[in-house]
Amino acid sequence: MSILVLGGAGYIGANAVDALIEKNYKVVVLDNLSTGFQQAVHAQARFYKGDIRDKALLQQIFREEQVEAVLHFAALSLGRESVEQPMKYFSNNVYGTQVLLEVMAEFEVRHIVFSSSATVYGNSAIGRVDELTATAPLNPYGQSKVMMETMMHWADQAGQLSFVALRYFNVAGAKKDGTLGEVRPRLIPIALRVAQGRQDKMTILGDDYHTADGTCIRDYIHVSDLVAAHLLALEYLIQGGQSEIFNLGSAQGYSNLEVIKAVRKITGAEVLVTIKPRVPGDADSLVASSQKISSILGWQAKQSNIEEIIADAWKFQQFYPEGYQY
Ligand SMILES: NC(=O)c1ccc[n+]([C@@H]2O[C@H](COP(=O)([O-])OP(=O)(O)OC[C@H]3O[C@@H](n4cnc5c(N)ncnc54)[C@H](O)[C@@H]3O)[C@@H](O)[C@H]2O)c1
């Protein structure tokens, strides 16, 4: 029996594949490499290049690989791009998940751990966000995650499957040895490129949020802590656990300027920052309550201290200064 990892060549998926193989799972990866890198996929995983919307290919994989459970990371996930090209997001994320759920039902595969996002909460969150907070997505990307969760809920109600949807906050950091990390231009990778002298300076959007230093506050979770939660969720479902939605964050908030300060401390570099106007719709502060996942799955963040996150991401940046192509 094998675990099918959709999007297993992406940042988080590749870390999950690595962790599954370390735990002796047999792993199969399907990824269309739209934002992922085949070099990041563990050599012991069986790799298929293709799209989750390709039903015939999914059926072939389910038939040949004896899939026991699915980890579903495959999605487009750029909020601003989704505003400009909404149908691209609904096709890839929502229709892709529909095809997947149809094939899972056909082959009676009953367990799925799904990457959702704190972006489903939009601006409705005040203080620490728990799972009872209303969903109010501000862009098609967030809406697509709500729709994917909804589809899984109804597939569950129809008796087809049980799922765990993990609503990630800001995932960051890299595998401890620095070999698997994030290539996409987000706050920490960009700051590390500046620290390395590959970029002169960086931009922070907005210093007029209702926070102590005026920059917005986010919750950063180490990718290894996040992956550990997937393994617990997978084991929980295999042992007969019922469907659940969990927030997944460190429950610690850091402002953008606090993150930059930590990058300066870890790298010893100056990291020049310019401030530009904020983007409409960004919340002042988004910090998770991870109480539910702690009490039901026994999960705890162990490596999500911001300095540890940055130190591991810095190792990756030094390993692959221009991403996996070098
Ligand atoms: N990184 C974060 O902070 C964060 C936060 C919240 C949620 N998420 C979610 O976690 C998941 C993984 O995110 P990531 O940061 O690793 O992104 P990523 O872009 O690195 O990984 C996504 C992977 O899925 C693949 N993919 C996308 N569409 C596909 C399709 N139709 N068929 C086959 N493969 C496809 C991509 O090629 C890529 O390898 C995504 O679902 C994302 O929405 C990420």
Side-chain angles (χ1 to χ4, degrees), residues 251-305:
Q252 301 286 322
Y254 296 95
S255 75
N256 282 345
L257 285 179
E258 284 171 333
V259 172
I260 300 301
K261 204 171 145 195
V263 169
R264 289 180 180 134
K265 183 174 167 196
I266 297 294
T267 63
E270 192 181 359
V271 187
L272 282 177
V273 169
T274 51
I275 307 281
K276 288 202 173 150
R278 61 196 279 179
V279 188
D282 258 2
D284 294 308
S285 172
L286 261 182
V287 180
S289 159
S290 288
Q291 249 176 342
K292 185 178 173 192
I293 191 165
S294 298
S295 62
I296 297 182
L297 296 188
W299 175 86
Q300 296 289 344
K302 292 183 180 146
Q303 305 177 52
S304 293
N305 170 286

Side-chain angles (χ1 to χ4, degrees), residues 54-184:
D54 181 344
K55 194 168 193 176
L57 175 60
L58 270 185
Q59 286 167 324
Q60 181 200 333
I61 293 172
F62 276 76
R63 192 178 308 116
E64 290 177 5
E65 302 290 352
Q66 295 183 318
V67 175
E68 180 184 12
V70 177
L71 300 194
H72 181 16
F73 298 96
L76 296 172
S77 55
L78 300 176
R80 255 168 261 162
E81 181 187 70
S82 78
V83 174
E84 287 152 18
Q85 301 180 62
M87 293 314 135
K88 182 176 167 187
Y89 276 68
F90 292 123
S91 170
N92 194 80
N93 296 1
V94 179
Y95 174 61
T97 300
Q98 179 187 330
V99 173
L100 168 67
L101 297 182
E102 285 168 1
V103 176
M104 284 179 68
E106 183 183 335
F107 287 84
E108 297 182 0
V109 173
R110 300 194 176 281
H111 309 307
I112 176 166
V113 181
F114 166 66
S115 309
S116 189
S117 169
T119 195
V120 300
Y121 297 117
N123 261 333
S124 63
I126 298 166
R128 284 225 161 78
V129 188
D130 67 22
E131 294 81 355
L132 297 175
T133 307
T135 58
L138 296 167
N139 55 41
Y141 165 57
Q143 188 72 59
S144 77
K145 291 286 176 185
V146 173
M147 291 164 82
M148 292 151 90
E149 284 185 0
T150 306
M151 287 161 79
M152 277 179 253
H153 165 74
W154 289 111
D156 177 13
Q157 294 296 299
Q160 287 171 12
L161 54 78
S162 46
F163 70 92
V164 168
L166 297 168
R167 291 177 175 167
Y168 311 162
F169 283 64
N170 288 46
V171 189
K175 189 181 170 191
K176 269 275 157 281
D177 65 4
T179 55
L180 290 175
E182 185 177 22
V183 175
R184 235 172 6 165

